[in-house]
């Protein structure tokens, strides 16, 4: 890096000296070059009263630089005749091309993201602590992003390094003579403060400016981040209410004369259909969107003109009225770079505000906002192809090592079932690794469904051959490398934990634990809350669970800390720490498969589901 960019970086230091960067002027000064006032003289854009500003957005990239494999790399499209079709999508080479093509003919264009750009990333990015992804996002001219929960996987200090640059404190620089430069775009975290100082750990907002057009961006992650990130990742941090935080900074931006505001929120909802082209504003019974974002949207001040959301990995473009009853767009673009949203914000130069309409404004030929597929039949962006090749060369010695063999796809992330074949496989691997007396004496293992980040795909991803599982592929399935724990839990605590899958914070959106062989029970989804788990059907190796008996239970450190709303699992005692989940998974693949006798997908028949 030359001296000048270093100097620029110093001006956008992560730990902002004060919660509100005092003036709009200070904000602009602190903005990276890519997002500063891009002068565009001679185009006559000053003439009209209104200016159409293009807002391109995406979310939950999770370091997926290469096209995601298997069903995790497709989006569902509803055809004119009502049937659905799976379209292969995603990959940074195609996302870059899509965004660059979309910007053509739009002198006023902003690219923003809804968080989880990094974290839980495939090996190509994860092995290098996501430096390759930050480099790619710089090249595609991302203007701003909010933090998501996964930005905290490695803690606030590592997040600061991703923003400011510098080589990894333990692993150093990955390329000889090259220091990691950090993000050219601001990471926003308005609702994350330092416990000691009470100040935001990153900038709470930023202002995009061009030819007198000013649009403010406020970024928040979900308030519940500490429940879904390991304790080390959120140590010393406080997470605040999304609505209160956004409303507070919207007021501050208004005081600075910024009337057009977009909130980037790493929290989302679930549309009635999984098709990316579903009309979210259709008013039939059961149509529309549900989930946390609906309540958040209803509470956010009318000062905010649009919400870019994420976290749920769903695709939607909806109109949810603000508290004053005005239409306001709420968007999300699935995950892994498979979609991007193109929204038109009509800026009124006189009021300095956005002229708001619903997604399909009356009389307009085109919707004001729509999701578009990042198709793989368009030309690749050459600079991204080169970036992937460069990092792949560094990763290859580790990534290409075979770990085991499979006879067919074993679906995890791409499975819509409550019990996933890959979930069973992972839980079995954990039980087998921790069952020996000297390894913990586990009799059952639990795996959190959110920790399964991909499918095991039979088709070769490189030159390894079909059916070969490489280290890179197994890492992509379990990229957190959580340490395994074995703890004592009573039968009563075990039953409570199973009931917490469908009650409390998990009632609206159940989190079904993946279970090792020998544990069976019935899940009756026609009932509500904890009653969905039918207590007298819970058996371990054919025997009813004894509430008073102690059982040795294996799980990763995230679940053992009570993560994902499983408070009962956090009550374990006599903890023994084992190897990492990834090491156990790879050991199991090696022990149970050969080229001649590959592993078949498990039957996924441990949980009897009544719908």
């Amino acid at each position: 890096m030359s001296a000048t960019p270093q100097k620029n970086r110093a001006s956008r230091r992560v730990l902002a000296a004060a919660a509100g960067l005092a003036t709009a002027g200070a904000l602009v000064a602190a903005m990276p070059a890519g997002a500063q006032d891009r002068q565009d003289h001679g185009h006559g854009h000053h003439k009209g009263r209104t200016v159409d500003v293009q807002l391109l957005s995406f979310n939950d990239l999770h370091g997926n630089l290469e096209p995601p494999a298997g069903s995790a790399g497709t989006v569902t499209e509803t055809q004119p005749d009502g049937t659905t079709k799976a379209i292969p999508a995603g990959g940074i080479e195609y996302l870059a091309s899509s965004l660059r093509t979309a910007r053509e003919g739009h002198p006023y264009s902003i690219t923003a993201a809804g968080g989880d750009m990094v974290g839980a990333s495939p090996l190509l990015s994860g092995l290098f602590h996501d430096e390759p992804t930050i480099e790619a996002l710089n090249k595609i001219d991302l203007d701003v992003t909010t933090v998501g929960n996964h930005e905290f996987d490695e803690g606030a200090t590592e997040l600061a390094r991703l923003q400011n640059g510098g080589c990894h404190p333990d692993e150093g620089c990955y390329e000889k003579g090259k220091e990691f430069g950090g993000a050219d775009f601001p990471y926003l975290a308005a609702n994350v403060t330092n416990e000691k100082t009470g100040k935001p750990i990153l900038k709470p907002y930023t202002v995009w400016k061009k030819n007198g057009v000013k649009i403010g961006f406020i970024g928040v992650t979900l308030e519940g981040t500490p429940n879904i990130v390991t304790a080390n990742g959120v140590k010393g941090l406080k997470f605040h209410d999304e609505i209160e935080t956004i409303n507070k900074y919207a007021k501050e931006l208004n005081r600075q004369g910024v009337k057009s505001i977009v909130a980037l929120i790493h929290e989302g909802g679930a549309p009635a259909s999984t098709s990316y082209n579903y009309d979210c504003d259709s008013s039939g019974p059961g149509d529309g969107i549900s989930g946390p974002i609906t309540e958040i949207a209803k509470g956010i001040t009318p000062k905010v003109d649009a919400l870019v959301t994420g976290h749920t990995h769903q695709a939607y473009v909806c109109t949810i009225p603000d508290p004053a009853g005005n239409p306001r767009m709420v968007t999300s673009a699935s995950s892994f770079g498979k979609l991007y949203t193109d929204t038109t914000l009509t800026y009124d130069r006189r009021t300095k505000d956005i002229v708001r309409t619903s997604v399909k404004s009356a009389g307009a030929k085109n919707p004001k906002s729509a999701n578009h597929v990042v198709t793989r039949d368009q030309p690749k962006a050459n600079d991204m192809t080169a970036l992937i090749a460069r990092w792949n060369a560094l990763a290859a010695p580790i990534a290409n090592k075979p770990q085991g063999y499979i006879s067919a796809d074993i679906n995890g992330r791409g499975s819509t079932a409550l019990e996933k074949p890959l979930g069973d496989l992972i839980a079995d691997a954990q039980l087998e690794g921790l069952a020996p007396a000297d390894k913990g004496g586990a009799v059952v293992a639990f795996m959190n469904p959110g920790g399964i980040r991909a499918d095991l795909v039979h088709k070769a991803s490189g030159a390894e051959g079909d059916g070969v599982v490489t280290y890179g592929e197994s890492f992509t399935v379990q990229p957190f490398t959580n340490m395994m724990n074995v703890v004592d839990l009573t039968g009563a605590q075990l039953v409570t934990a199973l009931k917490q899958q469908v009650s409390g914070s998990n009632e609206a959106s159940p989190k079904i634990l993946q279970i090792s062989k020998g544990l069976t029970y019935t899940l009756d989804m026609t009932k509500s809350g904890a009653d969905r788990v039918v207590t007298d059907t819970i058996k371990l190796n054919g025997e009813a669970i004894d509430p008073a008996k102690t059982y040795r239970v294996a799980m990763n450190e995230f679940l053992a800390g009570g993560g994902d709303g499983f408070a009962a699992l956090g009550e374990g005692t006599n903890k023994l720490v084992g190897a990492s989940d990834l090491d156990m998974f790879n050991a199991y693949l090696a022990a149970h498969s050969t080229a001649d006798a590959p592993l078949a997908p498990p039957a996924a028949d441990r949980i009897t589901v009544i719908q």
Side-chain angles (χ1 to χ4, degrees):
M1 291 294 285
S2 66
T4 322
Q6 284 284 5
K7 205 166 151 194
N8 283 348
R9 269 210 313 282
S11 75
R12 56 171 197 270
R13 278 282 174 245
V14 163
L15 299 167
L21 293 155
T23 64
L27 272 164
V28 182
M31 277 291 281
Q36 265 174 27
D37 206 348
R38 296 176 186 155
Q39 290 303 328
D40 192 52
H41 298 302
H43 283 68
H45 295 299
H46 286 292
K47 284 176 188 164
R49 174 168 165 176
T50 62
V51 178
D52 278 349
V53 178
Q54 179 187 55
L55 175 62
L56 300 174
S57 56
F58 59 97
N59 50 278
D60 296 275
L61 180 65
H62 292 287
N64 278 265
L65 300 179
E66 294 175 296
S71 55
T74 62
V75 292
T76 304
E77 181 179 77
T78 299
Q79 305 301 300
D81 65 359
T83 58
T84 59
K85 179 178 165 188
I87 300 175
I92 201 78
E93 294 157 297
Y94 303 111
L95 179 62
S97 289
S98 288
L99 294 174
R100 287 164 184 169
T101 303
R103 288 179 193 136
E104 286 169 13
H106 293 275
Y108 294 81
S109 184
I110 311 169
T111 304
D116 278 6
M117 292 296 98
V118 300
S121 305
L123 188 85
L124 176 62
S125 188
L127 190 63
F128 306 106
H129 296 275
D130 284 310
E131 289 180 22
T133 296
I134 298 296
E135 185 188 335
L137 293 172
N138 287 344
K139 285 180 188 289
I140 63 170
D141 294 325
L142 182 64
D143 288 307
V144 58
T145 183
T146 184
V147 292
N149 50 293
H150 283 282
E151 262 82 14
F152 294 94
D153 284 347
E154 295 187 47
T157 308
E158 174 62 4
L159 174 56
R161 186 183 77 88
L162 289 183
Q163 176 77 86
N164 298 326
C167 295
H168 193 271
D170 301 327
E171 293 170 28
C173 299
Y174 295 113
E175 294 177 289
K176 208 177 170 186
K178 265 176 107 169
E179 192 189 348
F180 171 58
D184 289 347
F185 50 89
Y187 253 117
L188 305 180
N191 68 331
V192 189
T193 57
N194 179 308
E195 261 178 0
K196 288 195 181 115
T197 66
K199 288 172 181 167
I201 61 157
L202 291 149
K203 285 169 58 169
Y205 57 74
T206 193
V207 179
W208 182 91
K209 287 184 160 192
K210 178 168 179 173
N211 293 339
V213 174
K214 286 194 278 193
I215 299 180
F217 288 85
I218 302 167
V220 298
T221 185
L222 68 153
E223 188 184 2
T225 292
N227 307 326
I228 53 175
V229 172
T230 54
N232 276 348
V234 293
K235 209 173 170 185
L237 305 178
K238 207 165 176 243
F239 292 77
H240 302 269
D241 180 86
E242 305 95 338
I243 299 171
E244 285 172 20
T245 306
I246 291 168
N247 291 355
K248 169 184 161 183
Y249 287 113
K251 214 179 263 180
E252 194 168 307
L253 282 165
N254 268 198
R255 280 201 300 269
Q256 296 170 13
V258 180
K259 306 290 185 195
S260 298
I261 301 171
V262 176
L264 307 174
I265 307 172
H266 192 71
E267 178 60 290
S273 162
T274 54
S275 291
Y276 84 89
N277 56 341
Y278 164 66
D279 179 3
C280 197
D281 287 354
S282 49
S283 53
D287 271 339
I289 185 170
S290 58
I293 200 63
T294 56
E295 290 314 303
I296 291 172
K298 286 171 191 166
I300 289 174
T301 171
K303 290 180 172 69
V304 174
D305 298 295
L307 315 182
V308 171
T309 73
H311 188 56
T312 57
H313 291 205
Q314 302 293 311
Y316 48 84
V317 175
C318 304
T319 311
I320 302 176
D322 70 16
N326 302 316
R328 183 163 60 189
M329 273 176 269
V330 179
T331 70
S332 172
S334 182
S335 63
F336 301 171
K338 294 183 287 191
L339 298 175
Y340 70 92
T341 316
D342 189 336
T343 303
T344 303
L345 300 173
T346 301
Y347 182 90
D348 185 325
R349 289 189 179 279
R350 201 169 301 165
T351 64
K352 298 183 180 170
D353 209 345
I354 300 299
V355 181
R356 282 220 246 132
T357 59
S358 60
V359 171
K360 289 194 172 74
S361 50
K365 277 191 209 135
N366 299 315
K368 296 290 268 185
S369 184
N371 275 322
H372 300 274
V373 182
V374 174
T375 58
R376 297 185 196 163
D377 56 6
Q378 63 183 312
K380 295 177 178 182
N382 293 335
D383 56 341
M384 294 298 156
T385 306
L387 181 148
I388 288 170
R390 209 178 86 234
W391 288 102
N392 260 334
L394 291 173
I398 296 167
N400 298 337
K401 235 176 146 187
Q403 304 299 313
Y405 304 84
I406 55 174
S407 64
D409 287 0
I410 303 180
N411 284 343
R413 193 83 193 177
S415 166
T416 53
L418 297 176
E419 180 186 352
K420 304 168 192 309
L422 190 49
D424 285 2
L425 184 66
I426 290 168
D428 287 351
Q430 294 175 353
L431 177 62
E432 182 169 297
L434 298 168
D438 63 333
K439 296 281 194 289
V443 295
V444 66
F446 291 133
M447 174 64 189
N448 56 309
I452 305 168
R453 305 305 298 186
D455 303 334
L456 276 187
V457 179
H458 185 260
K459 189 174 169 23
S461 59
E464 78 274 12
D466 290 353
V468 180
V469 179
T470 63
Y471 184 86
E473 290 164 340
S474 62
F475 181 98
T476 298
V477 167
Q478 292 202 94
F480 298 106
T481 48
N482 274 319
M483 301 314 289
M484 290 302 301
N485 290 186
V486 186
V487 298
D488 281 351
L489 287 172
T490 64
Q493 287 169 318
L494 260 186
V495 172
T496 300
L498 290 173
K499 287 184 176 288
Q500 285 170 345
Q501 302 176 108
V502 287
S503 63
S505 60
N506 293 331
E507 179 157 7
S509 182
K511 288 194 174 79
I512 305 304
L513 293 164
Q514 306 298 291
I515 54 177
S516 55
K517 60 174 178 258
L519 184 63
T520 54
Y521 70 94
T522 297
L523 195 58
D524 187 349
M525 298 307 280
T526 65
K527 295 184 172 157
S528 62
D531 291 342
R532 290 165 167 172
V533 174
V534 185
T535 310
D536 58 11
T537 64
I538 306 171
K539 292 189 167 70
L540 184 59
N541 302 319
E543 285 181 21
I545 298 283
D546 178 349
K549 194 176 157 189
T550 298
Y551 296 84
R552 292 290 283 164
V553 183
M555 63 192 107
N556 60 40
E557 58 190 323
F558 169 67
L559 279 177
D564 265 354
F566 291 102
L569 296 181
E571 293 165 4
T573 55
N574 295 331
K575 179 164 79 172
L576 183 140
V577 178
S580 77
D581 51 8
L582 180 62
D583 286 347
M584 283 197 176
F585 187 50
N586 286 333
Y588 187 87
L589 289 171
H592 290 272
S593 68
T594 62
D596 297 328
L599 204 60
D605 55 2
R606 297 163 192 183
I607 306 170
T608 303
V609 182
I610 301 168
Q611 292 285 13

